[in-house]
Amino acid sequence: MEKFKQPVSIADSIKLGSERMVLFGGPCAAESFDICIETGTKVKAICEKLGVDYVFKSSFDKANRTSAGSYRGPSKDDGLQILARVKKELKVPVVTDVHESYQCAEVAEVVDVLQIPAFLCRQTDLLKAAAQTGKAVKIKKGQFMAPEDMKYAVDKVRGEGNNNVFLTERGASFGYHTLVVDMRSLPIMRQYTPVIFDVTHSVQQPGGKGGSSGGQREFAPFLARAAAAAGVDGFFIETHPNPDKALSDGPNMIPLHRMEEFLTEIKRFWDLGKEVKN
């Protein structure tokens, strides 16, 4: 099966879709600078040890929480300030979500990658606004989308003259409160762009705890190994010093103290899958 024709540039320092694995990782929500810098510092050190390129991830707003009473994150201003400080201190690129088209230009002044949430992957105005910033655009495949239909989301970004766009697989809805991952989606979407596998949201149980989402992090290693062997260009992994006390998506995040072992294993399978990818 054919694959995309050129890598994606991130902050002029990372070529996604080349010979190096890329990790997008950090706490789900930017709860505090201390949690973000602790997490980012540890993950950066692991990535340097393993020869993996690193992009710090955290969200200043979780606008699609199950319940209106759930924690959404710091304010936009406070959240962007946290992300700017992490970027400056760690000297790594940063990715965060945008939910509204009007947010894109301001957020792009701080971050290097704009992430389009899965629920919003067909929102034309949002995709175009993100593209117009000139920053790389990371589109998460909707739980309701066929992988081949993600080509049209990519085309919306490229139609604005921005070729730095890539896709993320995060599972498909299977009945209620359950997601499954169809590994065929990975080579299908890699025809259009580099592909990232979202390890932690693929084991999420959307709305599965009656007002909040559950998760089965014990299955994360199995899906990650399969995706690595199938041939993805990198991984999206949310991690936290204490997931059980995290304010968002705790049940599916990987504990920070387990990240080195987890990434080492994934990297081993990713190296084995290089011939498949190429």
Side-chain angles (χ1 to χ4, degrees):
M1 184 172 284
E2 292 185 3
K3 71 165 201 172
F4 58 89
K5 294 191 169 47
Q6 66 181 55
V8 165
S9 294
I10 297 175
D12 297 324
S13 60
I14 293 175
K15 295 294 183 184
L16 176 64
S18 59
E19 292 301 309
R20 286 173 65 89
M21 183 177 124
V22 180
L23 173 70
F24 299 80
C28 178
E31 300 175 24
S32 69
F33 173 73
D34 289 345
I35 286 176
C36 286
I37 199 68
E38 176 186 356
T39 303
T41 299
K42 176 67 173 177
V43 176
K44 179 186 178 185
I46 296 169
C47 286
E48 288 176 344
K49 180 178 178 180
L50 296 176
V52 172
D53 288 330
Y54 178 48
V55 180
F56 177 82
K57 182 272 165 184
S58 198
S59 299
F60 65 86
D61 182 22
K62 303 299 296 183
N64 52 5
R65 295 303 304 272
T66 304
S67 168
S70 296
Y71 178 76
R72 287 184 55 162
S75 67
K76 176 170 61 65
D77 290 344
D78 289 346
L80 290 178
Q81 185 179 59
I82 289 171
L83 296 178
R85 288 182 65 190
V86 170
K87 178 179 177 178
K88 181 178 180 180
E89 294 200 16
L90 294 184
K91 295 180 172 57
V92 296
V94 171
V95 58
T96 197
D97 309 88
V98 286
H99 296 86
E100 304 281 354
S101 8
Y102 70 81
Q103 297 175 335
C104 294
E106 182 179 3
V107 174
E109 292 179 4
V110 174
V111 307
D112 305 280
V113 184
L114 299 179
Q115 178 169 278
I116 308 298
F119 288 127
L120 302 177
C121 68
R122 289 179 52 157
Q123 296 297 105
T124 301
D125 290 343
L126 179 59
L127 289 164
K128 287 187 172 185
Q132 289 164 6
T133 66
K135 295 299 178 77
V137 180
K138 178 179 183 292
I139 311 174
K140 301 189 83 171
K141 180 178 77 65
Q143 302 91 323
F144 46 86
M145 293 287 287
E148 58 268 25
D149 290 339
M150 291 305 296
K151 173 184 184 298
Y152 304 107
V154 170
D155 288 345
K156 290 175 183 179
V157 174
R158 288 181 175 154
E160 300 300 309
N162 187 341
N163 291 320
N164 287 320
V165 54
F166 57 105
L167 297 170
T168 299
E169 170 60 65
R170 53 97 75 237
S173 295
F174 185 75
Y176 303 114
H177 303 155
T178 303
L179 299 170
V180 295
V181 178
D182 180 357
M183 292 295 167
R184 295 174 300 177
S185 71
L186 304 177
I188 290 172
M189 292 195 297
R190 284 188 89 244
Q191 295 176 95
Y192 320 126
T193 72
V195 171
I196 298 300
F197 181 65
D198 182 342
V199 176
T200 41
H201 288 98
S202 292
V203 297
Q204 187 186 58
Q205 295 174 306
K209 294 181 70 176
S212 64
S213 292
Q216 296 176 304
R217 72 169 73 103
E218 66 270 24
F219 292 114
F222 301 97
L223 293 180
R225 290 196 297 263
V232 291
D233 302 285
F235 296 87
F236 178 99
I237 302 176
E238 291 184 336
T239 181
H240 191 283
N242 189 345
D244 292 336
K245 292 188 176 180
L247 300 180
S248 176
D249 270 358
N252 44 273
M253 281 199 281
I254 305 300
L256 185 58
H257 71 271
R258 287 185 48 209
M259 279 295 285
E260 182 166 359
E261 177 186 6
F262 192 83
L263 284 174
T264 299
E265 183 176 24
I266 293 175
K267 181 63 163 51
R268 184 163 59 91
F269 277 81
W270 191 87
D271 288 338
L272 290 171
K274 275 186 179 179
E275 291 185 11
V276 176
K277 293 197 298 290
N278 297 324

